[in-house]
C-alpha cells in the first residue's frame, strides 16, 4: 500500500481529537472527518480505530482505556466496510468487526474492541427488528444501554457518508443517536452537512499531489464535434462519450498498462432504484444505439447492466482488464462502488433537474494504478450530461473538481509524429522529509560530542564468545553510563522523581476578567500517562519541517534509546529527566543540533537520488492537451502547430513569441512545430545538472519537424537570461549524440535571436553572452 503523507497526518489528528473529546463531560461530542472521494476514507478510518484502541490502552490520562464502536452506513455500504475491515484486522485481531447477528446476545452488550456494523435503514424505523423490544431484550438501544451503563464502556459511533443522514431523515437521525447516546460521533463525508469546531479536513490538492485521484473533471469536452441539428442529442452524447472512452483505451494500450477504461451511463436518477416509464424508454434507447451502431451488447460482454429489474455482466467488472466497456446503471452504483478503471461518465437527467454532485462524479475520480501517466488524457475525468449549461448548479465542494473553463487542443490528423526518449521524476520515499533509522547515530553523536560523553554500545555478550562471566573485580570498573552521570552531575538533574503541575488552590471567581498572576497554588505530580503525552508533544514540537506524523515516534524512540545507552535511564524515568524544567532547554538544544545535521544529510541524499529517480519513456506529440483558460489564450491565426487550435500562455516570453512567429512564416519548410509544456510527466524533458550540482529536468521549449525529416529541439533564450542555459544546452547536445541516428535526425540547442537572426550552437557552450561562431537557424 502506498505510504501517503496526508493519510498519516489525518489519522494522527483524528486519534488526538477523539481522545480529547473522550476526556470532556457529556455525550454526543462531534468530530467531522472531511475527505475527498478517492482519498481512502475507509482505510484511514480502519487505521484510526486501530491506533485509537492502542492509545487508549497506553495512555493513563484518559477516563477510559477501552471503547466499543458502532459503524453506521446507508444502503448496503456497511457491508462493504465490514468486509474491508475484516481483511484489515484479519492478522492483528486488534479489533473485531461484527454484524448484528454475530453479537453475543447472551451477554447483550458490545464487547471492548468490537465494531458493530449497522445498516441505517435497519434502525431508523420502529418496526425494524433491530430496534424492537423482544423477550431477549436485544434491541440495538438495549444493547448500547448495557454497554454504557453496565460495562461502563464509552461508545464511539462512526457515521459513514454523513451527508446522507440529513434532509428527510434528519429528525430520525437525531432520535436514533439520542437513544444510542454515543460519547463521540465521528462523521465521515466528502461533503459533510454537520458543523463542528473539531474537524479533520483533507484538502483535495493533497490527494491529487499523491496521484490518488485525477487532477480535474472536464464537463462535456468536444461536445460540438460532429453535431448536427437532425441528430438526437442523446445519441450525440453517447457518441462523444464512446469516442472519449476509445481515446483513453488507445492511450492505455500504447503505455501497456493492461487497463480497459469503462464508460458509465447513468439513467435519470431520483430517490428510488425502481424504473419509471421514462427510465425504461431511455434505457432501451441506449441499449439499441449501443447494439446497432457500436456492436456493444450484453450478449458479447461489452455491456454491463445494473438496474433494479435487470443485472448482467457484473462479475469481475472492477478488474482492470475486464472486457466490458460500458455500464448502464441507475442509483445503486452511485454510492460505495469502487472501480478505478471507470474513466468517463454520461449522466442523463430529468428535464426538471439542474444539478449533480461529486458523489456520482466520484466514481471516475480514482487513478487506476494510484499514479499519474505521461499521457495527460489519462489524468483527467470526463463527464457528459444533457443538463443545459445555463441551469447547471454545482455545490461548492465540487467546484474544485469540475473545470468548465478548460481549453482543449487536439493533434492534427495524419501528423508525422516523432518518438523521443523523455524523462519524468518519479517521487520516491527518499524525497520525504522524515527521520529514518540512521537518525539514532546522528543523535547520539550530538550527545557525545557536545557533552563529551562516553558511548560504548554492547554488541556482544560474554556468552557469544564462549567466555565465563566477568569476575567481581571487573564489575567494579566504571561503566560509560556511570561516567556520564558523574560528568553531567552539575549540569543535569538526573534524579527527577516527578513532573509537577501547579494549579490554583482554593481560588474564588466572581466576575474577574483577565490574567490572574497571584494567589496560592498547589503542585500535583503528573501521572505516567500524562508524562508520556507531554513527552510526545515535546518531541512533535521539535520537528520543524519534518513530517510529524511519521517522525514524532521515531524521535521519541531514539531519544529514549539514547537515554538508556548513555545514562541507564529507562522509559518514564528518562522522560521525566528530559521534561524537567531545568533540563529541558539543554535537551532541546541537542535535539535541534541533531535535526539540523540530519536535515543536511537528508537533503544531500535526496540530491544524489534525484538522478536515479528519473524514469524514461517514449514521448510523442499528444493526442490532446488541456490548458487552463485563466492563464492561456487561443491564437486562431497559427496554422502549423501540431495541435489545433494553438493555445499559448498569456504571459509567454518575448523570445517565445518571436520564435513562434518565425516558424509560422516558413510554412513551406516546416512540417509542424510544437510548443512544449514546462512541467509534468506528460511533457517532453531530459535530465541535466544545474550549477549548484543538483539534478533537474529540462523542458525544451519547441519541437520542430521540417519537411526533410529533421527534428529540431530548441529552447529560446535571450543573452544571459538563464544561468543554467549552458548546462541545459550541453545536456541536450549529449542527448542528441547518444540518440539512435537511424530513427531520426536530431539537432538543436539553446537558440538566441540577435539582429533578426536566430543563432544556435551545434557544439557545447560555456556562456550565452556571445553568439559569435554559432550557426544561424535559417529555414
Amino acid at each position: 500500500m502506498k505510504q501517503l503523507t496526508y493519510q498519516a497526518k489525518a489519522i494522527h489528528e483524528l486519534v488526538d481529537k477523539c481522545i480529547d473529546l473522550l476526556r470532556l463531560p457529556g455525550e454526543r461530542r462531534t468530530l467531522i472527518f472531511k475527505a475527498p472521494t478517492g482519498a481512502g476514507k475507509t482505510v484511514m478510518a480502519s487505521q484510526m480505530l486501530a491506533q485509537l484502541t492502542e492509545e487508549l490502552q497506553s495512555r493513563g490520562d484518559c477516563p477510559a482505556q477501552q471503547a466499543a464502536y458502532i459503524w453506521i452506513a446507508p444502503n448496503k455500504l456497511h457491508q462493504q466496510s465490514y468486509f474491508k475491515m475484516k481483511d484489515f484486522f484479519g492478522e492483528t485481531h486488534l479489533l473485531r468487526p461484527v454484524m448484528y447477528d454475530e453479537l453475543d446476545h447472551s451477554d447483550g452488550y458490545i464487547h471492548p474492541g468490537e465494531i458493530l456494523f449497522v445498516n441505517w435503514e435497519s434502525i431508523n424505523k420502529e418496526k425494524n427488528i433491530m430496534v424492537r423490544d423482544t423477550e431477549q431484550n436485544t434491541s440495538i438501544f438495549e444493547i448500547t444501554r448495557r454497554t454504557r451503563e453496565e460495562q461502563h464502556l464509552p461508545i464511539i459511533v462512526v457515521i459513514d457518508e454523513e451527508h446522507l443522514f440529513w434532509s428527510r431523515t434528519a429528525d430520525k437521525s437525531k432520535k436514533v443517536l439520542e437513544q444510542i447516546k454515543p460519547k463521540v460521533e465521528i462523521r465521515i463525508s466528502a461533503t459533510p452537512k454537520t458543523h463542528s469546531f473539531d474537524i479533520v479536513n483533507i484538502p483535495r490538492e493533497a490527494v491529487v499531489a499523491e496521484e490518488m485521484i485525477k487532477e480535474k473533471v472536464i464537463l462535456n469536452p468536444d461536445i460540438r464535434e460532429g453535431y448536427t441539428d437532425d441528430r438526437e442529442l442523446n445519441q450525440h452524447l453517447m457518441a462523444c462519450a464512446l469516442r472519449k472512452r476509445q481515446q483513453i483505451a488507445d492511450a492505455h494500450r500504447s503505455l501497456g498498462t493492461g487497463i480497459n477504461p469503462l464508460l458509465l451511463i447513468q439513467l435519470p436518477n431520483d430517490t428510488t432504484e425502481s424504473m419509471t416509464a421514462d427510465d425504461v424508454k431511455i434505457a432501451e434507447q441506449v441499449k439499441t444505439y449501443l447494439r446497432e451502431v457500436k456492436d456493444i451488447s450484453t450478449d458479447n460482454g461489452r455491456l454491463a447492466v445494473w438496474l433494479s429489474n435487470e443485472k448482467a455482466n457484473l462479475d469481475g467488472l472492477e478488474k482492470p482488464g475486464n472486457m466490458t466497456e460500458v455500464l448502464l446503471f441507475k442509483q445503486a452504483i452511485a454510492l460505495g462502488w469502487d472501480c478505478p478503471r471507470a474513466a468517463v461518465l454520461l449522466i442523463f437527467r430529468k428535464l426538471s433537474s439542474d444539478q449533480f454532485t461529486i458523489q456520482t462524479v466520484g466514481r471516475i475520480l480514482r487513478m487506476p494504478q494510484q499514479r499519474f501517466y505521461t499521457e495527460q488524457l489519462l489524468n483527467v475525468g470526463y463527464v457528459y450530461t444533457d443538463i443545459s449549461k445555463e441551469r447547471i448548479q454545482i455545490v461548492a465542494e465540487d467546484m474544485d473538481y469540475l473545470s468548465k473553463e478548460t481549453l482543449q487542443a487536439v493533434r492534427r490528423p495524419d501528423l508525422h509524429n516523432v518518438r523521443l526518449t523523455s524523462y519524468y521524476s518519479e517521487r520516491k520515499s527518499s524525497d520525504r522529509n522524515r527521520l529514518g533509522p540512521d537518525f539514532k547515530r546522528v543523535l547520539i553523536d550530538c550527545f557525545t560530542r557536545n557533552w563529551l560523553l562516553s558511548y560504548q554500545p554492547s554488541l556482544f555478550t560474554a556468552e557469544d564468545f564462549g567466555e565465563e562471566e566477568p569476575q567481581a573485580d571487573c564489575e567494579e570498573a566504571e561503566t560509560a553510563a556511570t561516567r556520564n552521570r558523574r560528568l553531567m552531575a552539575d549540569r543535569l538533574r538526573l534524579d527527577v522523581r516527578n513532573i509537577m503541575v501547579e494549579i490554583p488552590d482554593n481560588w474564588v471567581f466572581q466576575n474577574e476578567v483577565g490574567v490572574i498572576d497571584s494567589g496560592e497554588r498547589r503542585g500535583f505530580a503528573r501521572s505516567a500517562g500524562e508524562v508520556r503525552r507531554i513527552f510526545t508533544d515535546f518531541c512533535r514540537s521539535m520537528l520543524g519541517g519534518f513530517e510529524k506524523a511519521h517522525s514524532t515516534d521515531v524521535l521519541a524512540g531514539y531519544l529514549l534509546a539514547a537515554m538508556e545507552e548513555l545514562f541507564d535511564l529507562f522509559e518514564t524515568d528518562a522522560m521525566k529527566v528530559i521534561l524537567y524544567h531545568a533540563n529541558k532547554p539543554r535537551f532541546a538544544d541537542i535535539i535541534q543540533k541533531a535535526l539540523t545535521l540530519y536535515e543536511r544529510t537528508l537533503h544531500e541524499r535526496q540530491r544524489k537520488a534525484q538522478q536515479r529517480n528519473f524514469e524514461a519513456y517514449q514521448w510523442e506529440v499528444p493526442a490532446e492537451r488541456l490548458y487552463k483558460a485563466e492563464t492561456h489564450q487561443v491564437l486562431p491565426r497559427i496554422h502549423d502547430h501540431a495541435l489545433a487550435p494553438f493555445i499559448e500562455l498569456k504571459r509567454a516570453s518575448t523570445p517565445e513569441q518571436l520564435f513562434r512567429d518565425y516558424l509560422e512564416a516558413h510554412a513551406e519548410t516546416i512540417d509542424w512545430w510544437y510548443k512544449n509544456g514546462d512541467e509534468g510527466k506528460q511533457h517532453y524533458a531530459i535530465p541535466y545538472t544545474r550549477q549548484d550540482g543538483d539534478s533537474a529536468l529540462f523542458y525544451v521549449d519547441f519541437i520542430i519537424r521540417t519537411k526533410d525529416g529533421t527534428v529540431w529541439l530548441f529552447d529560446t533564450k535571450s543573452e544571459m537570461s538563464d544561468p543554467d542555459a549552458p548546462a541545459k544546452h550541453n545536456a541536450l547536445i549529449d542527448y542528441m549524440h547518444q540518440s539512435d541516428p537511424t530513427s531520426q535526425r536530431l539537432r538543436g540547442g539553446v537558440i538566441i535571436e540577435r539582429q533578426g537572426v536566430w543563432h544556435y550552437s551545434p557544439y557545447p557552450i560555456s556562456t550565452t553572452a556571445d553568439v559569435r561562431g554559432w550557426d544561424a537557424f535559417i529555414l
Side-chain angles (χ1 to χ4, degrees):
M1 186 178 296
K2 285 182 70 173
Q3 298 297 313
L4 304 174
T5 301
Y6 72 82
Q7 287 191 353
K9 180 181 178 183
I11 292 165
H12 184 81
E13 289 182 12
L14 286 167
V15 171
D16 276 358
K17 288 182 181 293
C18 191
I19 290 178
D20 288 341
L21 293 177
L22 286 171
R23 291 194 186 105
L24 297 177
E27 300 165 344
R28 299 198 60 194
R29 300 286 179 175
T30 302
L31 173 58
I32 306 300
F33 181 26
K34 179 180 179 182
T37 299
K41 292 190 288 292
T42 304
V43 171
M44 286 184 280
S46 301
Q47 294 180 350
M48 180 271 293
L49 293 179
Q51 290 189 21
L52 177 61
T53 301
E54 292 179 330
E55 287 286 307
L56 290 177
Q57 294 171 356
S58 64
R59 292 192 183 189
D61 58 339
C62 194
Q65 274 66 57
Q66 293 177 316
Y69 305 102
I70 301 178
W71 184 288
I72 303 176
N75 300 330
K76 297 179 181 179
L77 187 59
H78 73 299
Q79 293 180 355
Q80 185 183 73
S81 300
Y82 166 76
F83 287 115
K84 284 184 178 180
M85 287 205 185
K86 278 188 75 72
D87 289 340
F88 184 85
F89 293 113
E91 294 184 6
T92 65
H93 301 289
L94 185 62
L95 293 174
R96 178 174 173 254
V98 295
M99 301 292 264
Y100 178 73
D101 293 339
E102 297 174 317
L103 280 176
D104 187 347
H105 292 283
S106 62
D107 289 341
Y109 68 91
I110 305 171
H111 289 70
E114 283 187 333
I115 313 174
L116 173 60
F117 284 82
V118 176
N119 169 239
W120 169 241
E121 287 73 19
S122 67
I123 61 174
N124 68 354
K125 297 180 179 67
E126 294 181 358
K127 65 179 181 179
N128 290 343
I129 188 170
M130 284 185 64
V131 297
R132 291 204 316 256
D133 290 328
T134 64
E135 293 182 0
Q136 292 79 21
N137 285 327
T138 54
S139 74
I140 185 70
F141 304 130
E142 177 62 18
I143 288 173
T144 54
R145 184 198 66 78
R146 290 178 181 175
T147 304
R148 291 189 323 270
E149 298 179 5
E150 298 178 8
Q151 303 301 318
H152 308 291
L153 287 174
I155 296 174
I156 297 173
V157 169
V158 178
I159 303 174
D160 198 10
E161 301 294 350
E162 181 267 357
H163 60 282
L164 295 177
F165 291 80
W166 283 70
S167 64
R168 291 182 297 174
T169 64
D171 292 338
K172 293 181 180 178
S173 302
K174 181 180 178 181
K175 182 178 179 181
V176 168
L177 289 169
E178 283 177 347
Q179 290 181 271
I180 293 176
K181 296 182 181 178
K183 181 69 176 178
V184 177
E185 298 171 14
I186 303 175
R187 295 172 172 257
I188 303 176
S189 176
T191 55
K193 302 297 183 182
T194 303
H195 298 285
S196 173
F197 288 110
D198 295 294
I199 182 170
V200 175
N201 179 28
I202 297 177
R204 184 188 69 91
E205 292 78 8
V207 187
V208 172
E210 296 282 6
E211 304 183 2
M212 293 289 287
I213 61 175
K214 296 183 172 71
E215 293 179 353
K216 65 181 100 177
V217 173
I218 307 299
L219 191 65
N220 287 344
D222 306 326
I223 199 66
R224 296 182 182 84
E225 187 175 333
Y227 182 68
T228 58
D229 292 339
D230 60 346
R231 189 176 188 184
E232 191 172 314
L233 178 59
N234 285 359
Q235 291 186 10
H236 177 64
L237 287 172
M238 284 189 283
C240 291
L242 287 164
R243 182 171 62 244
K244 182 60 67 178
R245 194 215 72 86
Q246 188 59 51
Q247 291 172 358
I248 296 170
D250 293 342
H252 274 297
R253 191 176 300 109
S254 67
L255 294 177
T257 65
I259 294 169
N260 184 30
L262 184 67
L263 163 63
L264 309 180
I265 300 181
Q266 183 180 21
L267 296 177
N269 194 12
D270 52 26
T271 58
T272 65
E273 295 184 24
S274 59
M275 298 283 287
T276 65
D278 289 339
D279 294 337
V280 173
K281 179 180 178 181
I282 295 178
E284 287 304 315
Q285 184 185 48
V286 168
K287 286 190 282 188
T288 299
Y289 176 83
L290 291 174
R291 182 179 62 253
E292 302 298 331
V293 180
K294 300 295 183 180
D295 191 29
I296 297 175
S297 67
T298 55
D299 292 337
N300 60 25
R302 297 174 65 190
L303 173 66
V305 178
W306 192 338
L307 301 173
S308 59
N309 61 341
E310 180 184 3
K311 291 179 174 60
N313 298 328
L314 298 179
D315 291 341
L317 187 63
E318 301 87 352
K319 293 181 179 179
N322 184 280
M323 69 176 294
T324 302
E325 299 173 8
V326 182
L327 170 64
L328 178 63
F329 73 102
K330 193 167 184 279
Q331 185 189 26
I333 198 178
L335 183 65
W337 185 64
D338 188 4
C339 182
R341 75 180 182 100
V344 185
L345 174 65
L346 169 56
I347 307 175
F348 290 119
R349 285 305 196 200
K350 293 181 180 296
L351 293 177
S352 59
S353 175
D354 62 355
Q355 63 178 235
F356 60 87
T357 72
I358 217 67
Q359 297 300 327
T360 299
V361 176
R363 300 309 108 207
I364 61 167
L365 282 179
R366 290 175 173 84
M367 292 302 297
Q369 295 178 310
Q370 297 184 352
R371 64 181 178 90
F372 285 166
Y373 300 98
T374 54
E375 276 283 354
Q376 176 66 6
L377 175 75
L378 306 182
N379 302 330
V380 177
Y382 301 91
V383 176
Y384 294 86
T385 179
D386 57 355
I387 304 176
S388 300
K389 183 176 180 182
E390 292 76 14
R391 294 192 298 124
I392 291 181
Q393 296 180 13
I394 305 167
V395 297
E397 289 81 359
D398 301 342
M399 288 299 292
D400 288 338
Y401 292 95
L402 293 167
S403 179
K404 303 196 297 297
E405 301 301 327
T406 298
L407 303 175
Q408 181 186 39
V410 297
R411 190 168 59 207
R412 286 164 42 190
D414 303 322
L415 185 84
H416 293 96
N417 215 326
V418 295
R419 287 180 62 83
L420 301 173
T421 301
S422 180
Y423 298 82
Y424 64 89
S425 179
E426 188 68 61
R427 188 180 183 192
K428 306 290 186 181
S429 59
S430 59
D431 294 333
R432 302 184 183 279
N433 250 22
R434 52 170 56 175
L435 300 182
D438 52 344
F439 175 69
K440 179 183 177 182
R441 180 73 257 178
V442 176
L443 180 63
I444 290 181
D445 283 349
C446 280
F447 272 116
T448 57
R449 186 171 57 254
N450 287 273
W451 289 357
L452 303 178
L453 303 178
S454 298
Y455 177 61
Q456 296 174 345
S458 177
L459 299 180
F460 304 98
T461 66
E463 293 179 355
D464 293 325
F465 296 99
E467 298 178 359
E468 296 181 358
E469 290 294 326
Q471 300 300 314
D473 56 344
C474 296
E475 292 178 352
E476 293 175 359
E478 185 179 47
T479 65
T482 303
R483 176 188 178 278
N484 293 340
R485 283 173 170 269
R486 177 173 53 78
L487 187 65
M488 298 300 296
D490 59 342
R491 286 182 285 173
L492 284 180
R493 174 80 181 273
L494 295 171
D495 60 344
V496 181
R497 296 175 61 92
N498 293 303
I499 297 296
M500 306 297 292
V501 56
E502 289 190 337
I503 62 174
D505 181 20
N506 199 31
W507 284 5
V508 178
F509 279 84
Q510 292 179 348
N511 296 317
E512 294 92 339
V513 176
V515 178
I516 299 175
D517 55 6
S518 61
E520 295 296 326
R521 294 175 179 269
R522 186 177 299 276
F524 290 88
R526 292 192 181 275
S527 68
E530 289 176 322
V531 170
R532 178 173 291 277
R533 180 171 57 83
I534 296 171
F535 177 70
T536 301
D537 291 342
F538 167 69
C539 292
R540 186 182 299 114
S541 69
M542 293 297 303
L543 286 170
F546 287 92
E547 292 182 12
K548 295 179 175 58
H550 169 85
S551 301
T552 299
D553 290 341
V554 176
L555 174 57
Y558 288 151
L559 193 53
L560 293 179
M563 295 297 289
E564 177 183 341
E565 295 174 14
L566 294 172
F567 298 107
D568 274 348
L569 288 168
F570 303 90
E571 287 294 325
T572 305
D573 289 338
M575 296 179 197
K576 291 177 181 178
V577 170
I578 294 170
L579 296 174
Y580 183 65
H581 66 91
N583 296 343
K584 193 174 179 180
R586 294 183 181 275
F587 283 100
D589 178 63
I590 291 294
I591 294 169
Q592 189 58 59
K593 284 183 169 65
L595 290 172
T596 301
L597 287 173
Y598 189 76
E599 190 170 28
R600 295 173 188 168
T601 303
L602 191 62
H603 287 172
E604 178 64 19
R605 184 184 304 150
Q606 291 170 352
R607 186 186 69 80
K608 291 180 179 179
Q610 280 182 348
Q611 184 65 43
R612 296 196 301 271
N613 290 349
F614 294 149
E615 302 287 341
Y617 72 99
Q618 293 301 303
W619 179 89
E620 296 180 342
V621 175
E624 68 171 27
R625 185 171 161 190
L626 305 175
Y627 303 79
K628 293 182 179 178
E630 65 267 24
T631 55
H632 291 77
Q633 59 187 348
V634 176
L635 298 185
R637 59 186 177 83
I638 301 299
H639 303 290
D640 293 324
H641 191 254
L643 304 184
F646 175 63
I647 301 172
E648 185 179 65
L649 189 67
K650 291 179 181 178
R651 295 184 178 180
S653 68
T654 299
E656 288 180 358
Q657 294 181 48
L658 292 174
F659 194 62
R660 168 251 292 164
D661 291 341
Y662 177 72
L663 296 175
E664 278 294 296
H666 293 82
E668 71 281 358
T669 306
I670 288 179
D671 185 9
W672 55 261
W673 61 274
Y674 177 72
K675 177 63 182 70
N676 192 31
D678 55 9
E679 64 176 357
K681 290 183 179 180
Q682 69 272 27
H683 299 306
Y684 172 67
I686 65 168
Y688 78 104
T689 302
R690 299 190 313 211
Q691 281 188 331
D692 59 10
D694 286 351
S695 298
L697 289 176
F698 166 36
Y699 293 83
V700 177
D701 285 332
F702 291 88
I703 297 102
I704 306 158
R705 187 183 189 278
T706 51
K707 291 184 177 179
D708 63 1
T710 302
V711 177
W712 300 82
L713 307 173
F714 282 129
D715 199 61
T716 54
K717 301 291 183 188
S718 54
E719 296 176 4
M720 300 299 289
S721 62
D722 182 358
D724 283 321
K728 295 176 179 177
H729 175 91
N730 297 338
L732 185 56
I733 293 293
D734 290 342
Y735 167 87
M736 291 187 293
H737 287 167
Q738 293 169 5
S739 298
D740 182 5
T742 62
S743 59
Q744 55 210 351
R745 289 176 292 173
L746 299 181
R747 295 182 183 178
V750 166
I751 191 165
I752 296 175
E753 186 269 339
R754 188 172 184 183
Q755 297 179 349
V757 178
W758 290 93
H759 299 271
Y760 76 99
S761 173
Y763 306 105
I765 62 174
S766 59
T767 180
T768 58
D770 187 358
V771 299
R772 288 178 298 177
W774 290 20
D775 289 356
F777 179 58
I778 299 176
L779 293 170

